[in-house]
């Protein structure tokens, strides 16, 4: 999907976001109304921007909140994360709300405190589908036409003769193809989408694979600004330290989760873990180190290996920046 800009908030208040807060007018308490009202111009509110992901899953809420279509698995993860040492690295979670008969997980909008932010979504890990999806695909294969079409759009030669005959591919096959086409297999992370401060959005990274191509895309994203990269590196190294001791992380297979990078022209930077739709608890006493290569059955996801590589790549671009 293309970047989506939400101009209006959803449901929590009756007026659209753009119409409220453009300036606040009030009277002095107890005044007779003879004093002219004081008008305080407030900063223009920022529209929430979705860089990638499922269309129609989100609604921008009020008061810096974001509503994401409810799934029980994601709710469980967000709830557990609020009690874990990873809490500062995930959006604050505020429970389930219902709007127009649909349940949503309500969380902090991570863009709130930035001014015209640049945003990047990086999917972390060497595997983007769950082991249970692989088992299901073997037991009850359900070839998908939509994924065949997405595949052919990128590379008409990619489907096998059998897939061409069926005009359909299995989801796991599509996901594996996406992993090897991009840097997921070789670096353990891939750029999914970037929105720059000028509003220009790029989700065309499916073939961004080599270390050099990834470095180029990252350099472009940070506008060759070394301070921004240093800010990101500090945060990523802190995250790595916390991940290495987090109970939540040790006991969960983290698949398809992204790091959301945000910075603005003031030099402010932030990185958070998002998307726990395919993060599942492991059967005790199984734990993961997130660096051991995946073999079917070991449940390893390559998350920390990918983070190590991302930190290395960002460190390598520093000498090229001003
Ligand atoms: O990015 P493209 O190539 O379009 O492929 C998408 C992403 O892999 C989605 O993962 P994510 O949500 O992590 O971005 C995945 O959703 P799942 O998370 O459900 O696996 C979609 O599966 P379907 O929703 O089954 O189409 C798949 O079609
Ligand atoms: N808490 C958040 N704050 C701000 N933006 C977010 C937040 N969560 C998700 N997004 C935006 O939505 C996009 C998709 O999020 P994600 O959770 O991965 O959705 P999906 O499960 O549909 O893939 C991200 O790339 C980002 O732009």
């Amino acid at each position: 999907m293309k970047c989506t800009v939400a101009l209006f908030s959803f449901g929590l208040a009756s007026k659209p976001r753009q119409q409220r807060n453009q300036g606040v007018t009030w009277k002095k308490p107890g005044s007779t109304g003879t004093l002219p009202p004081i008008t305080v111009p407030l900063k223009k509110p920022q529209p929430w921007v979705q860089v990638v992901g499922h269309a129609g899953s989100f609604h921008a809420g009020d008061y810096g909140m974001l509503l994401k279509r409810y799934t029980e698995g994601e709710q469980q993860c967000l709830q557990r994360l609020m009690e874990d040492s990873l809490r500062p690295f995930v959006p604050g979670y505020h429970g389930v709300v219902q709007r127009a008969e649909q349940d949503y997980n309500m969380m902090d909008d991570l863009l709130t405190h930035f001014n015209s932010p640049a945003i990047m979504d990086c999917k972390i890990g060497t595997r983007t589908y769950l082991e249970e999806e692989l088992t299901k695909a073997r037991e009850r294969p359900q070839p998908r036409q939509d994924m065949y079409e997405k595949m052919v759009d990128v590379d008409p030669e990619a489907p096998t003769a059998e897939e061409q005959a069926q005009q359909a591919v299995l989801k796991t096959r599509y996901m594996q193809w996406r992993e090897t086409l991009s840097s997921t297999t070789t670096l353990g992370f891939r750029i999914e989408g970037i929105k720059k401060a000028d509003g220009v959005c790029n989700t065309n990274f499916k073939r961004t694979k080599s270390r050099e191509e990834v470095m180029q895309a990252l350099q472009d994203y940070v506008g060759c600004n070394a301070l921004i990269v240093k800010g990101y590196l500090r945060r990523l190294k802190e995250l790595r330290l916390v991940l290495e001791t987090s109970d939540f992380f040790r006991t969960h297979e983290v698949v398809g989760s992204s790091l959301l990078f945000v910075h603005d022209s003031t030099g402010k930077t932030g990185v958070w873990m998002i998307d726990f739709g395919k993060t599942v608890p492991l059967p005790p006493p199984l734990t993961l180190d997130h660096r051991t290569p995946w073999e079917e059955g070991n449940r390893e996801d390559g998350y920390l290996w990918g983070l190590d590589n991302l930190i290395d790549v960002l460190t390598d671009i520093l000498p090229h920046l001003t």
Side-chain angles (χ1 to χ4, degrees):
M1 65 161 284
K2 298 252 156 44
C3 286
T4 306
V5 180
L7 290 177
F8 301 115
S9 58
F10 182 78
L12 293 175
S14 53
K15 279 188 184 172
R17 192 182 255 210
Q18 294 291 323
Q19 286 172 18
R20 290 174 297 106
N21 301 342
Q22 296 213 326
V24 173
T25 305
W26 77 89
K27 286 184 181 176
K28 244 175 119 182
S31 81
T32 58
T34 51
L35 289 172
I38 309 164
T39 300
V40 182
L42 288 183
K43 219 173 53 182
K44 203 168 152 222
Q46 306 287 313
W48 174 74
V49 179
Q50 179 179 355
V51 180
V52 288
H54 294 90
S57 285
F58 288 91
H59 290 286
D62 278 318
Y63 314 111
M65 292 294 137
L66 185 65
L67 312 185
K68 180 174 178 184
R69 195 176 282 260
Y70 175 84
T71 63
E72 194 188 346
E74 189 154 38
Q75 177 202 30
Q76 302 272 304
C77 288
L78 288 165
Q79 260 170 356
R80 286 180 192 162
L81 283 162
M82 291 303 97
E83 308 295 321
D84 191 83
S85 53
L86 279 172
R87 185 178 177 144
F89 295 91
V90 298
Y93 178 60
H94 306 284
V96 182
V97 291
Q98 204 182 46
R99 299 285 178 268
E101 296 184 7
Q102 170 65 52
D103 286 343
Y104 292 88
N105 281 318
M106 181 156 71
M107 63 187 86
D108 288 339
D109 172 356
L110 299 167
L111 310 182
T112 304
H113 301 291
F114 291 85
N115 207 343
S116 299
I119 312 163
M120 174 171 69
D121 181 308
C122 269
K123 194 177 287 235
I124 312 294
T126 46
R127 180 163 52 88
T128 57
Y129 53 91
L130 288 165
E131 283 204 9
E132 66 191 40
E133 293 183 274
L134 202 56
T135 317
K136 246 187 249 165
R138 271 196 215 110
E139 287 167 0
R140 287 185 303 281
Q142 290 183 318
R144 286 180 48 174
Q145 198 181 340
D146 60 329
M147 289 189 156
Y148 177 84
E149 281 159 13
K150 285 201 279 186
M151 194 182 230
V152 170
D153 272 354
V154 178
D155 179 3
E157 306 297 314
T160 62
E162 192 188 339
E163 288 162 349
Q164 279 175 25
Q166 286 192 320
Q167 300 273 295
V169 293
L170 292 175
K171 176 166 176 175
T172 43
R173 151 84 169 124
Y174 173 79
M175 303 295 259
Q176 285 164 352
W177 168 75
R178 288 271 278 118
E179 288 166 8
T180 49
L181 193 70
S182 67
S183 55
T184 290
T185 303
T186 47
L187 290 173
F189 72 91
R190 72 174 178 234
I191 299 172
E192 288 277 281
I194 286 177
K195 195 224 77 160
K196 298 226 262 179
D198 59 9
V200 174
C201 195
N202 184 0
T203 54
N204 188 19
F205 293 102
K206 288 197 174 68
R207 285 178 176 279
T208 304
K209 180 181 173 107
S210 71
R211 196 180 176 91
E212 291 67 35
E213 286 164 341
V214 173
M215 282 172 76
Q216 190 54 55
L218 291 173
Q219 238 167 279
D220 185 47
Y221 167 63
V222 298
C224 292
N225 184 330
L227 280 178
I228 301 288
V229 174
K230 284 181 184 159
Y232 281 145
L233 277 170
R234 258 195 308 277
R235 176 82 171 163
L236 290 174
K237 287 177 185 172
E238 280 165 23
L239 170 63
R240 180 164 59 183
L241 283 177
V242 176
L243 284 168
E244 281 169 340
T245 57
S246 153
D247 285 335
F248 178 92
F249 194 57
R250 202 179 13 253
T251 56
H252 285 74
E253 180 182 359
V254 183
V255 166
S257 178
S258 288
L259 286 177
L260 193 70
F261 289 72
V262 192
H263 69 263
D264 66 20
S265 60
T266 67
K268 188 167 162 180
T269 54
V271 184
W272 292 269
M273 296 171 78
I274 60 162
D275 195 356
F276 301 100
K278 285 191 295 187
T279 293
V280 292
L282 300 163
L286 184 62
T287 58
L288 303 181
D289 64 31
H290 302 274
R291 284 193 175 99
T292 299
W294 178 58
E295 280 169 24
E296 195 174 348
N298 76 3
R299 309 278 296 261
E300 287 289 352
D301 51 38
Y303 192 104
L304 272 180
W305 185 69
L307 182 55
D308 291 338
N309 285 327
L310 179 52
I311 290 173
D312 283 353
V313 169
L314 276 169
T315 306
D316 284 355
I317 67 171
L318 262 182
H320 304 280
L321 310 179
T322 46

